[in-house]
Amino acid sequence: MQANRVIRALAALAQEHRLAAFRLLVQAGEDGIAAGTLADMLDVPPSSMSFHLAQLANAGLVTQRRASRSIIYSADYAAMNGLMGYLTENCCGGVSCFGNAAGLHSLDREPDPERKSA
Amino acid sequence: MQANRVIRALAALAQEHRLAAFRLLVQAGEDGIAAGTLADMLDVPPSSMSFHLAQLANAGLVTQRRASRSIIYSADYAAMNGLMGYLTENCCGGVSCFGNAAGLHSLDREPDPERKSA
DNA sequence: ACGATATTTATCGAATTATTGGATTAAGAG
DNA sequence: CTCTTAATCCAATAATTCGATAAATATCGT
């Protein structure tokens, strides 16, 4: 059941520090970033960073490798690719909500006026 | 700050019932599905369904309209589009992990053996 | 207005998640 | 071997979330 994996991936990214960390890792590319460096960049205690990185790793979104004393984390593009693929196929009307609807980005623009009509 | 909205959208989808509900709503298209019908489909108590739908609505992923006694929920394609856009731009190396990497979908194919042996 | 249907709200307990400080493991330098 | 640095593990705490029952609100047909 891949839905389960998708849920874990979504949950992993649905957290401020983890989303930020993942973005940095994506930007960093193959080289990756050491856990401590990441903790320093995001200004969170090492133990907290470790916790969040473990969550990302558990969700399969990042990989780790040791480089001497440091542990380098890298974004797993294939996993992210898979997540995007699932969302596109299952949550975008089957035929990619991209390209279909031409360039509307409500999450970028709308400030979300009000949800409840009182 | 759209990162905040993205996080809420991800969190909203990172739950079994909500992901399932959203998938059904996407499939249903414009017509949408009534809250009660959704609760029945997913076999969760109406109040629980209402709770989850509220989460989706709060994240801006679904819209609601009243049809006589029923409240019809519909997927907000624009919001989903925005989410996909953000993920593509910020979490896929800047230049769409799709199409770039040719056709690898780890979440679809790989059973990912050593992630959790449960 | 009344009774029936549909949905939301309120509330509670159980479970999960987030955060932190300190202990522990691993690797390199002297 | 000891010291230093890097990262994770552990335990305790705080906060959030989930699921279910019960009460409240809104709408419809009569």
Side-chain angles (χ1 to χ4, degrees):
Chain A
M1 173 196 285
Q2 65 254 62
N4 209 319
R5 272 170 64 75
V6 168
I7 288 172
R8 285 197 314 193
L10 290 171
L13 291 176
Q15 210 280 343
E16 184 186 351
H17 297 321
R18 289 198 292 264
L19 182 60
F22 189 73
R23 285 182 59 182
L24 288 174
L25 289 177
V26 166
Q27 288 174 27
E30 301 287 327
D31 297 343
I33 304 175
T37 305
L38 223 30
D40 199 40
M41 287 183 185
L42 298 178
D43 196 35
V44 297
S47 58
S48 293
M49 193 72 255
S50 188
F51 169 77
H52 290 303
L53 288 172
Q55 304 266 314
L56 286 170
N58 186 278
L61 289 171
V62 302
T63 58
Q64 32 185 325
R65 70 177 192 276
R66 180 174 278 277
S68 143
R69 264 166 296 181
S70 298
I71 293 187
I72 311 292
Y73 283 84
S74 307
D76 186 330
Y77 286 82
M80 192 61 195
N81 220 4
L83 174 61
M84 296 296 284
Y86 180 93
L87 292 179
T88 300
E89 290 175 29
N90 294 278
C91 299
C92 290
V95 280
S96 95
C97 59
F98 281 120
N100 227 9
L104 16 140
H105 279 231
S106 78
L107 271 131
D108 282 349
R109 322 202 162 186
E110 296 173 26
D112 189 38
E114 102 278 17
R115 214 82 243 157
K116 29 128 92 322
S117 50
Chain B
M1 171 191 289
Q2 66 257 53
N4 209 317
R5 273 168 67 72
V6 167
I7 287 172
R8 284 196 314 188
L10 291 171
L13 291 176
Q15 209 281 340
E16 183 187 351
H17 297 321
R18 291 197 292 264
L19 182 59
F22 189 73
R23 285 182 59 183
L24 288 174
L25 289 176
V26 166
Q27 288 174 27
E30 301 286 327
D31 298 343
I33 304 176
T37 305
L38 223 29
D40 199 40
M41 287 183 186
L42 298 177
D43 196 34
V44 297
S47 59
S48 292
M49 193 73 254
S50 187
F51 168 77
H52 290 304
L53 287 172
Q55 303 262 319
L56 286 171
N58 188 281
L61 289 171
V62 302
T63 58
Q64 32 186 323
R65 69 176 192 276
R66 180 174 277 277
S68 134
R69 261 168 296 185
S70 298
I71 294 187
I72 311 293
Y73 284 85
S74 308
D76 186 330
Y77 286 82
M80 191 61 194
N81 218 7
L83 174 61
M84 296 295 283
Y86 180 92
L87 292 179
T88 300
E89 291 176 29
N90 294 278
C91 299
C92 290
V95 280
S96 95
C97 58
F98 281 120
N100 226 10
L104 18 140
H105 279 230
S106 77
L107 271 130
D108 281 350
R109 319 202 163 179
E110 297 172 26
D112 197 38
E114 74 272 61
R115 199 105 251 137
K116 57 162 264 189
S117 45

